[in-house]
Amino acid sequence: MAWARTSDSLDAAADAADGLTADFDASLSGLGHELGSTAYNMSEVLALPIFKQEGLENSFQYILCAATSPASKINEETVTYLNQRQSYELRLKRLGDNSSFQGGELLKSVVRVVFHDRRLQYTEYEQLAQWRSIRPNERLLDIDIPLSVNIYDIRKDPTAVNKVEFQWDPNKDTSVAIQVHCISTEFTAHRHGGEKGIPFRIQVDSYSIEEEHLHSASCQIKVFKPKGADRKIKTDREKMEKKPDKDKYQPSYEYTILTEENVYQSGTSPQHNVCTPPDASFNSPASSSYNSSFQSPPDINRSLQSPTNSTPHPPPTEDGDDKAGATEPLSPGANIQETQNWLVHNRFGNYVRTFNNFAGADLLRLTREDLVQICGPADGIRLFNALQARAIRPRLTMYVCLESQHVYHAIFLENLCVEELKLKIAQLFNASPSQLADLYRQGPTGIHVIITDQMVQNLNDETCFALSMVKAENDETRYHVVFK
């Protein structure tokens, strides 16, 4: 009887399994019919937006064949370690349709090594000049020509040791082998090894053959002595393995993709990290544009009486820019394009795209807190001060006139030195600074005391002086100026 009950259970289980199989087959029959009734078109799938490469016109891709550091946090920019004087391949590619370049038209790219630190960017010219004086006949950035592929017309400016430029065909696989010949500790006050060195940036700017700016991208690097970069990456990896919060750090990638720079595109060179030498006319009378027809004190009297010479042009600042132009306030009536130009002129080119729909009134309505939140503390405060700019009060104001005159002219000094005072007097008299010899101040009992930098620094503000001209004893074309 037990065997009979077991047999009946097996038969019931088999019948249930047959029923489930039939139901499953029936459910699949419709699916097969639906797939067969509609053609599977791969072209329609490839036409989906996710597979399209839209917006790639005038877009470029630059890849540096060097590994990124494993110690970069997720929300931070990656840093790439390089060995000094080692050749690294930098691949260049123009994305999108290149059919317009089938006729052999080339592109021009400029590769630079610049400072990552904003503070050092403002003194880049002086820093590089000092580096050149210490290491003459050497380049900070160079090209390894035998290892480069499909680059033409290579140019290396001997005065721009951190820059190289070349032309290339966007229809060919192109790569340039670059070498960085300085290490990151060469620009630090105290050298404690490569880990304490300052970071650089490799920046690539691409132009059409007509010099129209097309694209810019850069990446952050640190340069070590030979084989130092390999040791640094190994050390970072060992540290990462011991960290409990590894998920907060980016993995190390075999290649470094340069990120696009927000550069103001105006058909000229981008404003980012471009440094110009300071104006040397302050210390070089021969280079000034003053009238050299200064013959005698009567000519000075006539020039002072001329209203066209009563307002001298302010002297150039140390960075070569006119101080008045650098502090020109933004007008509330400025349109979008004028606002963009103002941002670039005042060294805010990185935020042109951020404020691409702002007119002057829109930008002026932003509070200090708004700008700090948008641009960060340093640039936000600087932008707020520039928007609310007022004329900077001079460190010393003097009022001068000739002894035969009763109309005084204001002289404003910033550097409080004799050379600046001499330059201002020459501007006031429409003369060359080289025609002025020494400056004297009349002391007790009529003695003449030579004016030095220390004397200028200790003058009282808003002091009035009457000036007299005395011919130099050994040179009749030059005059001493006596302050009474």
Side-chain angles (χ1 to χ4, degrees), residues 38-285:
T38 304
Y40 183 73
N41 192 345
M42 178 61 75
S43 61
E44 293 180 1
V45 177
L46 294 177
L48 293 174
I50 192 174
F51 292 102
K52 287 185 177 180
Q53 289 185 329
E54 296 178 346
L56 294 182
E57 288 301 323
N58 289 338
S59 184
F60 292 74
Q61 185 182 68
Y62 314 109
I63 299 177
L64 179 64
C65 295
T68 61
S69 168
S72 301
K73 291 186 177 180
I74 291 178
N75 296 328
E76 295 178 352
E77 183 184 13
T78 61
V79 60
T80 302
Y81 302 140
L82 303 182
N83 289 318
Q84 182 187 23
R85 294 190 177 90
Q86 181 174 329
S87 297
Y88 291 91
E89 182 184 11
L90 178 63
R91 300 174 184 172
L92 300 91
K93 184 178 181 180
R94 185 182 185 275
L95 306 176
D97 184 15
N98 291 328
S99 58
S100 58
F101 294 90
Q102 295 298 334
E105 183 178 352
L106 301 177
L107 294 172
K108 186 181 84 169
S109 288
V110 179
V111 182
R112 293 182 178 91
V113 171
V114 295
F115 293 115
H116 174 75
D117 188 353
R118 182 65 58 88
R119 177 180 56 85
L120 291 173
Q121 290 175 11
Y122 296 140
T123 60
E124 179 177 307
Y125 179 81
E126 292 79 6
Q127 297 281 353
L128 294 181
Q130 183 179 5
W131 188 87
R132 288 174 54 198
S133 64
I134 298 175
R135 300 172 62 175
N137 303 322
E138 288 193 41
R139 295 192 60 82
L140 192 148
L141 176 67
D142 207 351
I143 293 180
D144 191 345
I145 297 179
L147 296 181
S148 302
V149 179
N150 292 326
I151 61 174
Y152 317 98
D153 194 18
I154 302 171
R155 298 187 180 183
K156 306 175 186 178
D157 187 348
T159 62
V161 294
N162 65 324
K163 180 183 75 172
V164 293
E165 61 180 74
F166 53 88
Q167 296 182 6
W168 55 286
D169 188 344
N171 291 302
K172 296 181 180 179
D173 293 335
T174 302
S175 65
V176 55
I178 59 174
Q179 299 173 339
V180 183
H181 288 185
C182 72
I183 58 177
S184 294
T185 55
E186 292 191 48
F187 296 96
T188 55
H190 303 285
R191 301 180 182 180
H192 299 294
E195 294 184 356
K196 300 296 182 180
I198 61 169
F200 299 113
R201 298 194 72 82
I202 290 181
Q203 178 175 321
V204 182
D205 305 309
S206 291
Y207 304 85
S208 67
I209 205 66
E210 293 83 13
E211 297 293 335
E212 177 189 2
H213 177 251
L214 301 176
H215 188 267
S216 292
S218 67
C219 68
Q220 185 181 179
I221 63 169
K222 274 192 174 183
V223 186
F224 298 81
K225 291 183 178 180
K227 297 185 179 180
D230 307 317
R231 291 192 295 268
K232 177 61 174 170
I233 289 182
K234 182 180 178 181
T235 302
D236 285 353
R237 284 176 178 166
E238 293 174 351
K239 289 181 180 179
M240 289 301 104
E241 291 176 357
K242 299 177 183 179
K243 282 186 175 291
D245 53 347
K246 298 179 184 178
D247 55 336
K248 295 182 180 180
Y249 292 85
Q250 303 183 43
S252 177
Y253 298 101
E254 187 177 356
Y255 302 100
T256 303
I257 298 178
L258 278 65
T259 55
E260 183 177 1
E261 288 282 350
N262 294 329
V263 177
Y264 180 69
Q265 299 181 11
S266 60
T268 58
S269 298
Q271 301 296 321
H272 181 63
N273 295 331
V274 176
C275 296
T276 56
D279 194 340
S281 62
F282 185 87
N283 295 320
S284 177

Side-chain angles (χ1 to χ4, degrees), residues 190-403:
H190 303 285
R191 301 180 182 180
H192 299 294
E195 294 184 356
K196 300 296 182 180
I198 61 169
F200 299 113
R201 298 194 72 82
I202 290 181
Q203 178 175 321
V204 182
D205 305 309
S206 291
Y207 304 85
S208 67
I209 205 66
E210 293 83 13
E211 297 293 335
E212 177 189 2
H213 177 251
L214 301 176
H215 188 267
S216 292
S218 67
C219 68
Q220 185 181 179
I221 63 169
K222 274 192 174 183
V223 186
F224 298 81
K225 291 183 178 180
K227 297 185 179 180
D230 307 317
R231 291 192 295 268
K232 177 61 174 170
I233 289 182
K234 182 180 178 181
T235 302
D236 285 353
R237 284 176 178 166
E238 293 174 351
K239 289 181 180 179
M240 289 301 104
E241 291 176 357
K242 299 177 183 179
K243 282 186 175 291
D245 53 347
K246 298 179 184 178
D247 55 336
K248 295 182 180 180
Y249 292 85
Q250 303 183 43
S252 177
Y253 298 101
E254 187 177 356
Y255 302 100
T256 303
I257 298 178
L258 278 65
T259 55
E260 183 177 1
E261 288 282 350
N262 294 329
V263 177
Y264 180 69
Q265 299 181 11
S266 60
T268 58
S269 298
Q271 301 296 321
H272 181 63
N273 295 331
V274 176
C275 296
T276 56
D279 194 340
S281 62
F282 185 87
N283 295 320
S284 177
S287 63
S288 60
S289 57
Y290 302 112
N291 186 358
S292 60
S293 61
F294 181 45
Q295 298 294 335
S296 62
D299 293 338
I300 298 176
N301 293 334
R302 287 196 294 270
S303 66
L304 280 173
Q305 293 172 352
S306 174
T308 58
N309 296 321
S310 60
T311 306
H313 193 278
T317 58
E318 292 180 358
D319 58 358
D321 292 331
D322 190 357
K323 183 177 294 186
T327 58
E328 182 179 355
L330 177 65
S331 170
N335 58 31
I336 293 177
Q337 186 60 48
E338 291 170 344
T339 304
Q340 303 276 292
N341 293 339
W342 183 90
L343 287 170
V344 173
H345 181 71
N346 289 272
R347 307 191 310 277
F348 296 104
N350 287 344
Y351 302 101
V352 166
R353 292 192 179 182
T354 304
F355 301 111
N356 60 351
N357 290 322
F358 281 65
D362 301 326
L363 206 55
L364 288 167
R365 288 192 185 100
L366 297 177
T367 64
R368 185 175 184 270
E369 291 72 20
D370 295 335
L371 294 172
V372 168
Q373 186 175 1
I374 295 172
C375 306
D379 284 343
I381 295 173
R382 190 168 66 89
L383 179 54
F384 178 79
N385 292 337
L387 290 171
Q388 309 297 327
R390 294 182 176 88
I392 300 175
R393 182 177 178 84
R395 298 177 63 187
L396 179 64
T397 301
M398 302 171 57
Y399 303 109
V400 299
C401 76
L402 289 178
E403 284 185 306

